[in-house]
Amino acid sequence: MAAPTETTSETPTNKKQKKSKNTVDETELLTVPDGWKEPKFTREDNPKGLLEESSFATLFPKYREAYLKECWPLVQKALGDVFINATLDLIEGSMTVHTTKKTYDPYAILRARDLIKLLARSVPFEQAVRILEDDMACDIIKIGTLVRNRERFVKRRQRLIGPKGSTLKALELLTNCYVMVQGNTVSALGPYNGLKEVRKVVLETMKNIHPIYNIKTLMIKRELANDPELRTQSWERFLPNFRHKSLSKRKKPKKKTVKKDYTPFPPPQPESKIDKELATGEFFLRESEKRRKKMTEIKVKQAEALSKRQEQRKKDFIPPKEKPAMKKTKPATTENKIDIQAIKEKVKKAKSKKLGAPPVNPETPSAKDGKRKKVKS
């Protein structure tokens, strides 16, 4: 009886081990190993080639004509390696790519189509050729219709580029993509993950969200991706949460139109000229009387207008009311008040004292009179 008990104790542990192995296998399948690359598509994968010929054409602006004419031999050489023919039509202003009998890669024609699209959107040939690689993709984002006001559109597009192209350069470094802002489009070239981030940043910039916020989050994500422990965890706690501030309220209109209550009945018919004359009794007057009445009304109006005009003219000759010239009297403060009693006491003291010294040789009144007589003579 001991034997079956031992087997029963071993079975649950074996099941747990099997379950843990299955879970590990699933996680390994979900995660892509580092440095893994898809094998290159070769002639052996499709030895018989393609059944039908495929072709794509795209137009280019006039200012790109000189550059395309110069670099076209290089384009033909690059596409010749994947057995695709390319033609440049300067009269129509178009570029065409089409497959040949030797073409074995069915996706090569789509890459060639992307190549001519990028060349048409002012991407230099050195960067555009990278689209022919397997791990490269491109995205042309249309931004022309996202903002109605032209001035606002130009400001937001310049914000995306940044001072001396610094914002665009930071975005390129964080996403490993080449970004080209030209006219009403933004062309991006790089890996799929990077293109996704570039599109998000561009669209949010055109919606008046500054690119610096997205660049900050990308920098944090880049640091977190290097940590193997945090790969499987949620990063929400580390990412910054930028709140949108409503700076100004919506401007209200000056004139508010009040909607009238709906009534199924039509409005009353307005009175005609004859109806008004019948109501006042003018209809039954003679023509001469009507003229006389009109003339009197005109004269009354003329007299009123004349009186108004005269009053307007007289206004210039009426002198303005002058304000009475009043001196501003300062309120007597406690410091400026004169103590009269103290001054009186000082004067009394001065009188009681003999001010100054007596003369040395006081002259007699007889001598003074003698001097005066001499002066008179």
Side-chain angles (χ1 to χ4, degrees), residues 46-115:
N46 188 16
K48 291 181 180 180
L50 306 173
L51 293 168
E52 293 289 333
E53 186 187 299
S54 306
S55 64
F56 290 101
T58 186
L59 299 169
F60 60 87
K62 188 77 176 171
Y63 60 85
R64 290 291 288 168
E65 191 177 312
Y67 180 78
L68 289 170
K69 204 173 179 181
E70 191 182 329
C71 74
W72 197 250
L74 297 166
V75 175
Q76 285 178 323
K77 191 183 176 184
L79 292 172
D81 295 341
V82 288
F83 304 104
I84 286 172
N85 284 344
T87 53
L88 177 69
D89 192 347
L90 296 172
I91 297 160
E92 286 185 4
S94 66
M95 292 179 281
T96 315
V97 287
H98 56 86
T99 56
T100 59
K101 288 179 181 180
K102 290 182 181 180
T103 311
Y104 62 87
D105 188 358
Y107 201 70
I109 187 67
L110 297 174
R111 293 194 180 282
R113 176 202 64 184
D114 292 340
L115 173 66

Side-chain angles (χ1 to χ4, degrees), residues 22-33:
N22 290 335
T23 52
V24 169
D25 293 337
E26 281 175 10
T27 52
E28 281 179 4
L29 287 167
L30 288 168
T31 55
V32 179

Side-chain angles (χ1 to χ4, degrees), residues 169-202:
K169 191 71 183 170
L171 191 64
E172 284 178 357
L173 291 166
L174 289 164
T175 55
N176 296 322
C177 293
Y178 173 80
V179 186
M180 179 73 186
V181 181
Q182 177 66 30
N184 293 334
T185 57
V186 177
S187 307
L189 175 75
Y192 289 101
N193 292 336
L195 291 174
K196 198 178 173 183
E197 295 294 339
V198 169
R199 178 172 270 276
K200 188 192 170 189
V201 172
V202 169

Side-chain angles (χ1 to χ4, degrees), residues 174-293:
L174 289 164
T175 55
N176 296 322
C177 293
Y178 173 80
V179 186
M180 179 73 186
V181 181
Q182 177 66 30
N184 293 334
T185 57
V186 177
S187 307
L189 175 75
Y192 289 101
N193 292 336
L195 291 174
K196 198 178 173 183
E197 295 294 339
V198 169
R199 178 172 270 276
K200 188 192 170 189
V201 172
V202 169
L203 293 175
E204 285 192 355
T205 304
M206 299 315 287
K207 287 176 183 174
N208 203 20
I209 297 165
H210 205 281
I212 199 72
Y213 300 131
N214 286 309
I215 285 165
K216 204 169 186 179
T217 52
L218 285 169
M219 286 168 77
I220 294 161
K221 279 180 182 178
R222 197 180 188 183
E223 291 295 320
L224 292 168
N226 295 332
D227 194 347
E229 291 179 6
L230 294 167
R231 274 188 178 181
T232 55
Q233 293 178 20
S234 177
W235 292 350
E236 284 182 6
R237 56 192 174 157
F238 301 111
L239 298 174
N241 187 20
F242 299 109
R243 289 179 183 177
H244 181 69
K245 290 180 182 178
S246 55
L247 296 172
S248 59
K249 290 181 181 178
R250 183 179 165 274
K251 289 181 180 178
K252 292 178 182 178
K254 284 184 178 178
K255 292 180 181 178
K256 287 184 180 180
T257 52
V258 181
K259 285 186 178 180
K260 293 177 181 178
D261 296 328
Y262 173 74
T263 52
F265 306 105
Q269 195 174 355
E271 288 185 347
S272 64
K273 195 177 180 182
I274 295 161
D275 291 336
K276 286 175 183 177
E277 285 179 357
L278 284 165
T280 52
E282 287 179 27
F283 184 77
F284 304 103
L285 294 171
R286 292 175 188 174
E287 284 186 13
S288 58
E289 288 176 351
K290 284 180 182 178
R291 279 183 215 146
R292 205 181 302 142
K293 199 173 184 182

